[in-house]
Amino acid sequence: MRRKVDDLRERGSMGTTNVMIKSTGAYVPEKVMTNFDLEKIVETSDEWITTRTGIKTRRIAAENQTTSDLAYEAAKIALERAELHPRDLDLILVATVSPDMFFPSTGCVVQNKLGATNAAAIDLNAACSGYIYALVIANNFLITNSYKNALIIGSEKLSAFMNWEDRSTCVLFADGAGASVITPSSGESKLLAYDLGVDGSFGDQLSVPAGGARMPATEETVRNHLHCIQMKSGNAIFKIAVNRMKETFTKSMKKAGITIDDISLVIPHQANLRIIESLGKYLKLPKEKVYVNIHKYGNTSAASIAIALDEAHTEGIIKRGDIIGLTAFGGGLTWGSAIIRF
Ligand code: UT7
């Protein structure tokens, strides 16, 4: 009988389990680009960028360094801290909007670089909400006992998709990667609640319009920078972002049955300091309960929360047992939030 139960468990056909973020890791490229460097490229100023976005510096990957390289570096750290060998992984999820190429997926490239010979690999595109989407997907594979060890990564080389003549975007976006190992939890650590959503009708607000099946590459698309990030109205995105992040976070708190007082730290997507501050104000969060590192890294899309989570963890700001909240919005438009007992 015992044997039968174990067999069933093995095949993932019974039982549910709690799932935790076992470890984190992050990697940012060495090259630091300051606002003063940008002043030399486009008509902008350190004063404008600082007051409108909160960004002071960002990291830019080397020419020969790609999204999978950044992902690989972050993944190695997370795996080492989880004391897992890449062969222990069952699943690799790479959240990115700047994949190495259309296919093979960046997940496949990372799987090969790591030597994760027993893992399935998937790329997922939910833009800046990507890390939260990946966390939820990994969680849902693991709670059914389908898989045991998952590696989720948010990795971006957005500089490869930047029009360096467009001051409305090139001051915002940057490169970096964060990774987390997700495993079953025997203690109280678990994903308590989540909420995900999209509104595709705002898809044209933030996009890379060319290079896909709808607008294959031509000389004209290249000349018009249509393979680069286009932002229709930063202002419109700003307003939607604040509203959606508030709404999704409130929904997740309600699902988890907690109030803001139970939360030790909120890690919002790092897109704009003013967006983060309005969220904090709405949620009535004291400043020290909202994690901010946008001044150092700019907007690294799917990597943003993954890097911030790793920093908050390694700096000792969050400890095991703390309840933390994640909330994000991004191109799509997508949004998502999660409440975690870390
Ligand atoms: O992860 C999601 C990615 N996207 C976002 O997060 C975008 C969300 N939106 C934002 O963060 C803000 O809307 C921005 C930072 C993009 C812009 O800030 P804003 O306060 O909404 O400024 P604005 O778009 O209303 O532009 C104000 C002025 C404009 O000039 P005029 O029309 O008033 O003469 C812009 O042309 O600022 C000008 N401007 C700049 N000036 C100097 C726009 N970009 C720059 C720049 N440097 N880099």
Side-chain angles (χ1 to χ4, degrees), residues 12-228:
S13 53
M14 71 170 280
T16 57
T17 188
N18 289 334
V19 174
M20 70 187 286
I21 297 176
K22 172 108 173 155
S23 67
T24 61
Y27 175 81
V28 289
E30 271 175 38
K31 185 180 168 187
V32 178
M33 184 182 263
T34 67
N35 293 346
F36 299 105
D37 295 328
L38 281 160
E39 283 181 0
K40 294 177 198 140
I41 302 173
V42 281
E43 203 186 323
T44 191
S45 64
D46 171 57
E47 201 264 332
W48 190 95
I49 303 171
T50 306
T51 53
R52 300 285 178 131
T53 72
I55 303 166
K56 293 298 276 181
T57 61
R58 70 284 289 140
R59 301 299 181 98
I60 301 296
E63 217 166 302
N64 64 354
Q65 199 176 28
T66 187
T67 301
S68 64
D69 294 325
L70 309 183
Y72 170 70
E73 295 298 334
K76 271 197 308 187
I77 298 168
L79 281 167
E80 204 179 294
R81 289 181 183 158
E83 297 179 359
L84 285 183
H85 189 277
R87 279 196 302 271
D88 297 327
L89 290 173
D90 302 303
L91 178 67
I92 299 170
L93 283 168
V94 179
T96 185
V97 287
S98 49
D100 282 12
M101 56 198 132
F102 267 120
F103 69 89
S105 73
T106 304
C108 291
V109 181
V110 172
Q111 178 272 342
N112 186 43
K113 283 183 181 165
L114 285 171
T117 45
N118 297 310
I122 312 169
D123 275 14
L124 79 95
N125 177 339
C128 311
S129 314
Y131 178 81
I132 297 178
Y133 270 69
L135 176 65
V136 171
I137 295 169
N139 178 75
N140 291 358
F141 268 113
L142 266 64
I143 52 173
T144 55
N145 291 328
S146 300
Y147 289 135
K148 209 168 150 209
N149 299 317
L151 173 69
I152 63 170
I153 308 170
S155 185
E156 304 284 8
K157 186 184 180 181
L158 296 172
S159 61
F161 297 84
M162 217 94 93
N163 173 2
W164 291 102
E165 291 167 14
D166 177 7
R167 68 177 184 174
S168 73
T169 52
C170 75
V171 304
L172 303 177
F173 299 104
D175 306 336
S180 306
V181 170
I182 314 293
T183 63
S185 159
S186 50
E188 57 170 8
S189 299
K190 65 188 278 200
L191 175 61
L192 294 168
Y194 63 84
D195 174 67
L196 304 175
V198 301
D199 187 343
S201 70
F202 290 116
D204 63 346
Q205 281 293 342
L206 205 56
S207 63
V208 175
R214 191 186 65 160
M215 201 188 289
T218 62
E219 278 180 24
E220 199 186 342
T221 59
V222 174
R223 199 169 41 247
N224 293 328
H225 301 287
L226 297 178
H227 301 269
C228 299

